[in-house]
Amino acid sequence: MHTKNKISYTYEEVEKDSEGYLKRTKDWNILLAKEIAQKENINLNSDHWKVIIFIRKFYLQFNITPSMRMLIKSIKEKIGKSKSNSIYLFKLFPKGPAEQASKIAGIPKPVKCL
């Protein structure tokens, strides 16, 4: 049972959809992100955090979860060319950079685009 003054939730307590994405973006916090990453078998480092924080800000600004193509283009502009390729991003997020990073960032799953 949740109390109104409770600041953070654990992953088990927070509302998620059937795939484990948070239902409410505002429930997200850094500890929750670490817990989600652990469940995804990802050991977060500074490069993971750059992508996670980037896509979270992108979502909060544009109200859309970036697709892989949008993610690569935007990371190239914001973080740098050396880290804006799919090979590098798949090393960080093996199950799919857009999907897995979005889950850890507490934002909705991106819509598939080809």
Side-chain angles (χ1 to χ4, degrees), residues 57-74:
K57 285 181 178 177
F58 186 100
Y59 177 80
L60 295 174
Q61 182 177 354
F62 300 109
N63 201 33
I64 186 170
T65 301
S67 66
M68 185 65 175
R69 190 173 293 161
M70 293 165 72
L71 184 60
I72 288 172
K73 183 177 186 235
S74 300

Side-chain angles (χ1 to χ4, degrees), residues 28-111:
W28 185 87
N29 62 59
I30 289 174
L31 294 174
L32 189 57
K34 289 177 180 178
E35 193 176 346
I36 295 167
Q38 186 176 18
K39 290 188 179 301
E40 293 287 313
N41 295 315
I42 292 178
N43 220 351
L44 295 175
N45 64 36
S46 62
D47 286 347
H48 289 100
W49 282 112
K50 285 177 186 171
V51 175
I52 291 165
I53 298 303
F54 171 79
I55 66 168
R56 187 164 172 82
K57 285 181 178 177
F58 186 100
Y59 177 80
L60 295 174
Q61 182 177 354
F62 300 109
N63 201 33
I64 186 170
T65 301
S67 66
M68 185 65 175
R69 190 173 293 161
M70 293 165 72
L71 184 60
I72 288 172
K73 183 177 186 235
S74 300
I75 285 177
K76 184 177 183 179
E77 293 170 9
K78 305 276 186 186
I79 298 175
K81 188 175 183 176
S82 67
K83 297 184 179 185
S84 66
N85 63 70
S86 59
I87 295 167
Y88 174 77
L89 293 173
F90 269 97
K91 284 180 183 175
L92 294 176
F93 304 99
K95 293 181 186 172
E99 295 86 357
Q100 212 167 20
S102 296
K103 184 183 276 188
I104 296 168
I107 61 174
K109 183 177 181 179
V111 177

Side-chain angles (χ1 to χ4, degrees), residues 19-33:
E19 294 181 84
Y21 289 80
L22 301 187
K23 285 194 172 184
R24 291 185 309 267
T25 304
K26 65 182 174 71
D27 287 343
W28 185 87
N29 62 59
I30 289 174
L31 294 174
L32 189 57

Side-chain angles (χ1 to χ4, degrees), residues 2 9-18 20-27 32 106:
H2 303 297
Y9 302 100
T10 67
Y11 187 68
E12 297 306 318
E13 295 172 321
V14 74
E15 277 191 72
K16 301 170 290 295
D17 68 12
S18 62
Y21 289 80
L22 301 187
K23 285 194 172 184
R24 291 185 309 267
T25 304
K26 65 182 174 71
D27 287 343
L32 189 57

